[in-house]
Amino acid sequence: MSDTHAQTVAQVRDTMLPPAPPPRRETGAIHWLRENLFSGWLNIVLTILAIWLVWTVLSGFVPWAWRGIWGAGSLTECRQIRDQLYPAGTSVACWSVISERWQQLIFGFYPPGGYWRPPVALAVFLVAVLPILFTDLPRRLLWLTVAAPFLIFFLLWGGTIWGPLTMALGVVLGGVVWLTGRRTGSPLVTLVATILVPLLFWMFLAKPLAAELAQLAPWGLPRVASKDFGGFTLSVVIGLSAICLSLPLGVLLALGRRSDMFFISKIAIAYIELIRGVPLIVWLFTAQLLLNYFLPRGTNFDLMLRVIIMATLFAAAYIAEVVRGGLAALPKGQYEAADALGLDYWQAMRLIVLPQALKISIPGIVNTFIGLFKDTTLVAFIGMYDPIGLATAIRASTDWQGIYWEIYVFIALVFFIFCFAMSRYSIWLERRLERSHR
């Protein structure tokens, strides 16, 4: 009878159970809290301490900021309004200093009639870098990327339109020399000619040609001197200029340091170690005080241009080390594969090695960019009115003497927006490249 029962009763279920939801502890907010905040005793202790710290800070800051006063014309008037609205001893933010001086903090001493020009220049820059940052966009937009530096210079500094156009003509001449030399001459001679022809044109022909054209058709915008730049306009111009210029220079320095050619390698090593061994503030003082001693007598070298050059050279040394780390992280087989394909040095670097090395180096490069953008506040020590320098000048005025936190909170918030945007783009790019790699 037992044999008959064994033959008639199935040992394996032949019907599916109805679907059931997962346990509530394994989904949703409860699962996230258990995994991220309360996964162990150490994590629980750190979570409780962090909550206590955040509460301690926000419990004082949020009411202070929320009760802020926006409609006063001075700190004294702000305190009078506070005494009328709140009990004695209540801490209240005086945001009126921002509503009264926000234009100065953003534009510095830029002419009020031209306040539209820096935002338009920033918008042109953002549109110009979109084809580089997002490769899905049409490649024909790269023409705007090429033209953007000259248009931005024209918008910010003004003058006749012929100055930027003659500078662009020098770039066109360099491009013609490069395309012609690639077909007929040696690569080294072509590279040297491509660099020398625009430089000679800019040194000897661009300025007289622009002056003659300005006599015929004086089209342009009111000229703005570099000393009138200030606030976030100054920080953004210096920061973005140094970021855009330091990346290609840093890549070249990294390749030079790893080069098999003795003199190129040693020069790159000496440059990188010298720049990295000296603080940026020292190089800024060098740009302000010492650089003119090495120039011909009577040369007027714009201070902002000197600062941009020094910031670019400084950041390039750090980027070179970051990229060198990415190059060193690549397996030797990648270089051998490029040799097996018959690629020359520059083809191998452009098509195989650098794309992978730069992908590895993205976090370090963006970290250097963020540090460089924040370091633009150091120009306050050489007499330039960045947001920190303007904050000091505002606090020294009779109307706002004694105010502190409100200005610095505003400055910190704006810097945070810029730096957070760069950080989030870096994270997005890393994830995108990881997906494309798979």
Side-chain angles (χ1 to χ4, degrees):
M1 183 174 181
S2 61
D3 294 338
T4 305
H5 180 75
Q7 293 176 359
T8 57
V9 177
Q11 300 297 319
V12 179
R13 179 180 294 276
D14 56 3
T15 59
M16 296 294 294
L17 290 173
R24 298 187 65 181
R25 295 177 58 187
E26 299 300 327
T27 59
I30 296 177
H31 175 70
W32 186 89
L33 291 173
R34 290 181 65 248
E35 289 291 326
N36 295 278
L37 301 181
F38 303 102
S39 58
W41 68 268
L42 179 60
N43 206 356
I44 293 173
V45 172
L46 293 177
T47 298
I48 294 174
L49 289 176
I51 292 174
W52 173 80
L53 180 61
V54 171
W55 171 257
T56 302
V57 174
L58 294 183
S59 62
F61 175 79
V62 173
W64 170 81
W66 183 259
R67 292 191 294 255
I69 297 171
W70 291 90
S74 65
L75 181 59
T76 302
E77 185 178 347
C78 192
R79 288 171 176 171
Q80 293 174 352
I81 297 174
R82 177 199 63 186
D83 295 338
Q84 294 174 1
L85 296 178
Y86 302 102
T90 303
S91 180
V92 177
C94 185
W95 298 118
S96 300
V97 64
I98 306 301
S99 60
E100 287 283 322
R101 298 295 185 97
W102 69 270
Q103 293 179 330
Q104 187 177 0
L105 287 170
I106 293 177
F107 300 107
F109 306 104
Y110 210 86
Y115 279 170
W116 62 272
R117 289 159 59 177
V120 172
L122 179 60
V124 170
F125 172 82
L126 294 177
V127 173
V129 298
L130 285 179
I132 300 174
L133 300 181
F134 303 97
T135 55
D136 296 336
L137 294 176
R139 308 314 293 167
R140 60 178 176 269
L141 292 178
L142 289 173
W143 287 106
L144 177 59
T145 305
V146 176
F150 309 101
L151 180 57
I152 291 172
F153 180 88
F154 173 67
L155 286 170
L156 291 176
W157 279 272
T160 63
I161 198 174
W162 304 113
L165 287 179
T166 53
M167 296 295 290
L169 180 58
V171 176
V172 172
L173 292 176
V176 171
V177 171
W178 171 256
L179 293 176
T180 305
R182 286 182 63 185
R183 300 172 183 172
T184 59
S186 66
L188 181 60
V189 174
T190 300
L191 179 62
V192 173
T194 303
I195 296 174
L196 285 180
V197 168
L199 289 177
L200 293 175
F201 175 79
W202 291 331
M203 291 173 61
F204 299 105
L205 296 177
K207 189 173 182 179
L209 178 61
E212 290 296 329
L213 292 173
Q215 293 291 332
L216 298 175
W219 303 329
L221 294 172
R223 189 177 298 276
V224 179
S226 295
K227 62 181 179 62
D228 294 330
F229 283 67
F232 285 103
T233 299
L234 178 67
S235 294
V236 170
V237 170
I238 294 176
L240 295 184
S241 299
I243 285 173
C244 295
L245 296 173
S246 62
L247 180 58
L249 180 57
V251 172
L252 292 176
L253 286 170
L255 297 178
R257 181 160 190 166
R258 292 176 57 89
S259 174
D260 295 331
M261 291 185 280
F262 179 82
F263 287 106
I264 291 180
S265 175
K266 297 307 177 185
I267 290 173
I269 291 173
Y271 169 84
I272 292 171
E273 297 302 330
L274 174 63
I275 294 295
R276 293 174 67 236
V278 180
L280 177 59
I281 187 65
V282 176
W283 292 118
L284 293 179
F285 278 116
T286 301
Q288 180 195 24
L289 302 174
L290 301 180
L291 199 58
N292 279 340
Y293 289 106
F294 300 97
L295 298 174
R297 185 181 297 274
T299 302
N300 184 17
F301 200 4
D302 189 89
L303 178 59
M304 183 185 293
L305 179 58
R306 283 181 269 167
V307 170
I308 291 175
I309 292 174
M310 282 299 180
T312 299
L313 298 178
F314 184 82
Y318 283 86
I319 291 175
E321 288 298 277
V322 174
V323 175
R324 184 172 70 91
L327 293 171
L330 287 183
K332 188 178 179 181
Q334 298 295 317
Y335 298 90
E336 295 173 348
D339 295 336
L341 291 173
L343 302 178
D344 61 27
Y345 177 81
W346 291 109
Q347 288 175 334
M349 288 295 135
R350 180 171 59 88
L351 299 175
I352 296 179
V353 176
L354 279 180
Q356 300 180 72
L358 292 177
K359 173 184 172 182
I360 297 172
S361 306
I362 286 174
I365 292 175
V366 175
N367 185 60
T368 303
F369 287 165
I370 291 174
L372 174 63
F373 185 72
K374 292 187 295 185
D375 284 343
T376 57
T377 55
L378 294 176
V379 300
F381 292 100
I382 59 173
M384 302 183 75
Y385 285 95
D386 74 310
I388 301 297
L390 284 174
T392 303
I394 291 172
R395 293 193 302 107
S397 65
T398 55
D399 290 337
W400 302 108
Q401 189 173 13
I403 201 164
Y404 291 96
W405 286 101
E406 291 83 350
I407 299 179
Y408 292 123
V409 167
F410 174 75
I411 294 173
L413 179 62
V414 176
F415 270 105
F416 173 79
I417 292 172
F418 277 96
C419 297
F420 184 73
M422 288 189 278
S423 176
R424 298 310 300 179
Y425 173 77
S426 169
I427 295 173
W428 174 86
L429 184 60
E430 288 183 71
R431 292 175 178 172
R432 178 183 175 86
L433 294 178
E434 286 294 335
R435 289 196 297 268
S436 63
H437 178 70
R438 295 173 185 174

